[in-house]
Amino acid sequence: MSCLGFLTAAQREALAASSAAGAPLSTFASPAASPGKTRRVRSLAGSADARIRESAALSAHAPHDVLTVLAGDPISSVRACVARNAGAGPLLLRRLSGDPEAVVRAWVAANPQVTDDVLQLLIGDADPSVRAVVEWAGRWPAQEGGTR
Amino acid sequence: MTQTDVRPDQTFRGILGTGIEEGLLLKPVTYQWAMDLYDQAVANTWFPNEIQLGEDLADFERMSADERAALTHLMSYFNPNELLVNKALAFGVYPYVNAAECHLYLAKQMWEEANHCMSFEYVLETFPIDRAAAYESHVTVPSMAAKEEFEVRFIKRMTEQTLDITTTEGKQDFVRNLVAYNVILEGIWFYSGFMVALSFRQRNLLRNFGSLVDWIVRDESLHLKFGMNLVLTVLEENPDVATPEFADEIKQMILDAVEMEEAYNRDLLPNGILGLNADYINTYVKYLADRRLDELGFGAHYGVANPAKWMAAANDTLQLVNFFESTNTSYEVNARQG
């Protein structure tokens, strides 16, 4: 028995239409940031494993209070992940611009939401790698709201 | 291995096996490294639309024809090859691994490969890239097709009925496929492409695309760890596998792969862009190959320094420290000269 026999003409037509050229293959949408997803990020942020806390600090769905706690994490790689997160916000980025570790301050300078006034704070940073990132950040076109 | 490590459904037979009814109980976990990597992978879960690629469109408009061609070339290579990794896992790894914790990780990795494929699809949807040309290149550009053919050969062997994983020859086939897709495809060829992809951001272009690649690299660093741990575990548990002849063959596979990547990168950057040229990337490829050879216990072969210190991996992800050291006048001149 041929498998073709399972398909009606209408089904074949529907199949062909569903893969018509030109239509986007996907909406690329992810599940919404449900309360469950937020709870999951909170749980990850409390992990004893710094690598797991890094993931929470990078999450696009990390609530601000979670990022605030992680900005004070004893492990610098976790704080660096907060500094990388585009949702960290200006206050946290300003706080992290004073971090004792250069890698954290460098990620603050690289954050697309960093404001010009914070970049100004870092322009004279003692660490050359931070100054290099500030120079690079300054080459991005300025956005509305003074971010880079 | 102690008796308490043995799962109640089986006597310990090692990480390899094909019994469908075996490896169905997770506890006790025999390979804790696989469980740890699974936890990290789950914590890393991300989706392409969390990155606002559309904000990079203005950059794309001002990019040169060579820069756009390089981006298209990268998409042509990455998109099908993410799926090729899944074929290597589905046909060549998952069926021959007996530990439930490894199956958990492999399942997550396969979703990640699909997510990466859709991420590159998102790039193709966002930028005005000639999709037909991008889709076609992986079979019409000889240097790209050669890399794909290299991988397919090893995957095909894993699907042949004559393969018996209980024999030394079967275990060697398993390791060959692992080296081909994990050490070479993911550990050398992909990283070479990531370096080119991230060089756009380094030159103040395609910042959000760079963020997308950051997430992919974060996943890939775990894939590499898993694959390397799997290779080393199989070798440790099966001392019959690593004969001197087999060791020579594995090393030669990696050296051949470097040659293929050199030809590919000459096609990728015929004129040089963004301070990069093929020679610069190929030195990075040799540096990567040395690292992989070292991890497999061979020691470095090329003995080259990393020309792209800004790609240095620390804490298994890209760091910005040294990010800008690559502003090196000599190679910029070379790139301009092609």
Side-chain angles (χ1 to χ4, degrees), chain A residues 24-26 28-31 40 51-52 54-55 58 61 77 84 103 107 110 112 133 136 139-140 148, chain B residues 40 42-44 47 49-50 118 121-122 125 201-202 204-205 207 214-215 218 315 318-320 324:
Chain A
L25 288 180
S26 168
F28 304 99
S30 60
R40 176 176 165 272
R51 292 167 300 188
I52 302 290
E54 282 177 23
S55 293
L58 285 170
H61 306 295
S77 63
R84 293 175 68 172
V103 67
W107 278 114
V133 180
W136 167 83
R139 290 198 294 267
W140 291 100
R148 294 280 174 178
Chain B
Q40 285 180 53
V42 169
N44 277 353
F47 294 89
N49 76 323
E50 292 167 358
M118 289 308 289
E121 191 59 39
Y122 182 34
E125 293 283 359
R201 179 175 61 187
Q202 194 194 5
N204 296 89
L205 291 167
R207 184 178 216 165
D214 278 346
W215 278 108
R218 194 169 170 84
N315 297 324
L318 297 178
Q319 298 292 319
L320 270 183
F324 301 93

Side-chain angles (χ1 to χ4, degrees), chain A residues 54-114:
Chain A
E54 282 177 23
S55 293
L58 285 170
S59 172
H61 306 295
H64 196 264
D65 63 299
V66 168
L67 290 177
T68 302
V69 170
L70 292 171
D73 197 279
I75 305 295
S76 61
S77 63
V78 177
R79 301 196 303 276
C81 287
V82 177
R84 293 175 68 172
N85 193 321
L91 287 177
L92 267 188
L93 290 179
R94 175 177 285 275
R95 174 181 155 193
L96 289 168
S97 71
D99 195 277
E101 294 293 333
V103 67
V104 178
R105 302 195 301 277
W107 278 114
V108 169
N111 191 306
Q113 299 303 317
V114 71

Side-chain angles (χ1 to χ4, degrees), chain B residues 17-19 88-98 103 106 158 165 174:
Chain B
T18 56
L89 297 175
F91 292 111
V93 183
Y94 198 103
Y96 302 106
V97 168
N98 211 23
H103 282 163
L106 287 166
M158 300 307 291
I165 200 69
F174 181 86

Side-chain angles (χ1 to χ4, degrees), chain B residues 6 16 59 76 96 122 149 151 155 168 179 192 230 259 275:
Chain B
V6 178
L16 294 178
D59 288 343
S76 303
Y96 302 106
Y122 182 34
E149 173 55 31
E151 293 294 329
I155 300 170
T168 300
V179 169
S192 161
L230 192 50
E259 279 189 24

Side-chain angles (χ1 to χ4, degrees), chain A residues 114-133:
Chain A
V114 71
T115 51
D116 278 348
D117 58 322
V118 172
L119 276 183
Q120 285 298 320
L121 291 174
L122 293 168
I123 208 162
D125 197 280
D127 191 287
S129 68
V130 178
R131 295 199 301 274
V133 180

